[in-house]
Amino acid sequence: MRILMIGAGGVGDAAAKIAGERRFFDTFVVADYDLERARRTVAAVRERGEKEIRFHAAQVDASDPEDVAGLIRMVGATHVLNAVDPRFVMPIFRGCLAAGANYFDMAMSLSQRHPTEPFSKPHVKLGDEQFAMADEWEAADRLALLGIGVEPGLSDVFARYAADHLFSHIEELGTRDGSNLAYYRPDGTEGFAPGFSMWTIIEECLNPPVVWEKARAEAGGGIGAGFFTLPPFSEPEVFDFPEGIGPVECVQVEHEEVLLMPRWIDAERVTFKYGLGEQMISILKALNTLGLDSTEPITIKGVQIAPRDLVAATLPDPATIGPRLEGKTCAGVLVTGTGTDGKPRSTYLYHVVDNEVTMREYGAQCIVWQTALNPIVALELVASGVWAGTGVLGPEAFDAVPFLDLLATPKPEGYGSPWGMEER
């Protein structure tokens, strides 16, 4: 396996460090628009003890499918890991297909709001552009594995495991994400810093959240009829997260799990709620009111810039905030329905990561590390032939047990990152 990873930001840097501990691939090329940033990631992997010359740096324009395809051919990549933000999904996706490489990402192609009815039905849903090309990927005998980060990704693996081993009937697959992370300024006072790309946070949280219901799908004649949208921040609930994180208010957010899970798992309802917290919700509402969430460029003193890009640029880089973060983050799925014993059941499957641990062991803050871990596990399963498939697929299309076993098995055989399960 020859891996090309596009993106050397926080997630990409962490993914390379995690991969550096594994032996399942021959070559790992780290590519970024900023060549020096890619070189820094490669140097960091080598400083951690990588003895073989398996890691290399390259430059790429992720917005140009031809440039992506050209680099794939030049380095002989068999598998491409997309570690940049969702704006670049489709150019990389198309470049991979053109060059004959398999594709892995941690998100999906972006949605588009309905021009006149924004809260009635999704106009273009997350992943629609990619699933529209599924026949082309199957014809090429190549795999495009979508949404294999943590959420989406590990959450989808949890859902598959619950469906196969814990439940005979599922009422709801409810992804619930939260943390007790706090960011401290150099003077010791608590400040504000997003744990991942602010551009993506604005996209996810201000777009109408999508919900899927089986009854709507059956009444409407297909899976696509089951999707509908709500206003942002709908249906708030206080969710008690495990391992000391505690209660966090969660709200509906647009997210890929809702678009993936119903394709492979039988459930009555699928939702995603994120523990944004009062401060983040207030900031997002203010940005929307002021128009600072817009991606349309405006001219300021002769310079064109999108307001959202300006907002993202003024905040601390998520890759650099780790030393000033304290706390834990949790990703998981609350599954409710009927257990295999025929009795009502409500089970939360989850993965908790402590920022102190990831900073000490990888120099990466916990949110980006947790996201970066899962595509490397998936790549190893594909390299070994345990996971195999062609076309455009989600994590739910594969057996969850090998993934969860490899994730939790202590190093060096596995990744040494246990997951948990709580009955509610």
Side-chain angles (χ1 to χ4, degrees):
M1 178 180 279
R2 297 176 63 87
I3 300 169
L4 167 63
M5 182 179 71
I6 298 178
V11 172
D13 187 75
K17 291 173 181 175
I18 294 166
E21 299 176 341
R22 312 303 296 178
R23 313 308 309 167
F24 66 87
F25 58 89
D26 300 312
T27 300
F28 196 111
V29 178
V30 180
D32 197 278
Y33 188 77
D34 181 348
L35 179 58
E36 286 306 310
R37 187 160 70 164
R39 286 172 173 165
R40 286 195 296 270
T41 289
V42 170
V45 174
R46 291 176 179 169
E47 286 171 7
R48 287 173 55 82
E50 169 69 13
K51 302 302 182 184
E52 302 175 39
I53 309 300
R54 296 187 300 162
F55 285 77
H56 308 273
Q59 194 275 338
V60 69
D61 180 357
S63 69
D64 184 349
E66 292 185 4
D67 199 40
V68 171
L71 180 59
I72 292 169
R73 296 185 183 105
M74 185 177 75
V75 303
T78 58
H79 296 73
V80 174
L81 172 56
N82 177 354
V84 292
D85 76 51
R87 287 174 289 179
F88 302 101
V89 161
M90 289 311 297
I92 298 173
F93 187 76
R94 292 190 176 102
C96 286
L97 183 60
N102 299 285
Y103 172 87
F104 289 62
D105 71 23
M106 292 168 269
M108 296 200 299
S109 58
L110 293 173
S111 63
Q112 296 176 26
R113 304 184 194 188
H114 194 286
T116 58
E117 302 176 50
F119 302 128
S120 59
K121 186 177 180 180
H123 181 48
V124 175
K125 301 184 298 298
L126 291 167
D128 274 359
E129 290 185 83
Q130 291 170 289
F131 281 112
M133 297 173 63
D135 289 346
E136 296 177 61
W137 282 84
E138 289 182 16
D141 196 30
R142 292 292 180 267
L143 169 65
L145 178 50
L146 311 187
I148 189 61
V150 61
E151 289 178 340
L154 182 55
S155 52
D156 304 75
V157 173
F158 284 148
R160 176 79 272 163
Y161 179 82
D164 288 347
H165 301 282
L166 306 180
F167 287 80
S168 60
H169 176 76
I170 294 175
E171 288 293 332
E172 181 172 344
L173 293 168
T175 305
R176 299 294 184 265
D177 177 312
S179 77
N180 62 356
L181 292 169
Y183 170 76
Y184 294 93
R185 301 185 185 95
D187 64 3
T189 60
E190 191 169 350
F192 173 76
F196 61 100
S197 164
M198 189 63 187
W199 196 100
T200 304
I201 291 173
I202 293 171
E203 179 75 13
E204 290 179 348
C205 298
L206 291 179
N207 275 351
V210 180
V211 176
W212 187 85
E213 291 182 351
K214 184 177 181 180
R216 289 174 181 253
E218 292 177 341
I223 186 172
F227 296 104
F228 64 99
T229 58
L230 299 169
F233 316 119
S234 292
E235 300 182 355
E237 68 172 89
V238 176
F239 190 84
D240 192 11
F241 288 92
E243 298 192 21
I245 293 175
V248 180
E249 185 178 59
C250 298
V251 295
Q252 293 276 11
V253 169
E254 180 193 53
H255 226 256
E256 288 87 349
E257 289 93 329
V258 179
L259 287 308
L260 285 170
M261 290 178 183
R263 295 175 181 270
W264 289 280
I265 301 174
D266 186 17
E268 300 297 325
R269 194 169 195 257
V270 183
T271 61
F272 179 97
K273 291 187 180 181
Y274 186 23
L276 290 172
E278 184 179 346
Q279 182 188 41
M280 177 67 85
I281 291 173
S282 297
I283 289 170
L284 289 166
K285 287 181 176 178
L287 291 174
N288 179 250
T289 299
L290 297 172
L292 294 174
D293 59 325
S294 173
T295 59
E296 293 299 319
I298 60 174
T299 302
I300 303 174
K301 296 183 177 180
V303 177
Q304 279 206 321
I305 186 167
R308 190 187 299 187
D309 291 339
L310 177 63
V311 170
T314 61
L315 292 168
D317 182 348
T320 67
I321 65 174
R324 301 199 177 281
L325 279 182
E326 293 182 9
K328 300 176 181 178
T329 187
C330 179
V333 177
L334 178 65
V335 188
T336 56
T338 305
T340 54
D341 60 0
K343 297 179 181 179
R345 184 170 187 174
S346 177
T347 306
Y348 185 56
L349 299 91
Y350 67 89
H351 185 244
V352 170
V353 178
D354 190 324
N355 189 70
E356 189 275 330
V357 173
T358 60
M359 285 302 301
R360 182 181 69 244
E361 297 184 2
Y362 292 89
Q365 55 103 329
C366 57
I367 294 176
V368 300
W369 185 88
Q370 190 183 41
T371 304
L373 172 65
N374 299 286
I376 304 303
V377 177
L379 281 162
E380 183 160 350
L381 291 174
V382 169
S384 66
V386 173
W387 275 14
T390 59
V392 179
L393 302 176
E396 304 86 347
F398 301 92
D399 185 0
V401 172
F403 188 103
L404 295 175
D405 285 350
L406 188 58
L407 179 72
T409 298
K411 298 178 183 179
E413 290 79 11
Y415 287 76
S417 191
W419 56 281
M421 189 165 64
E422 282 186 355
E423 298 303 320
R424 299 284 178 123

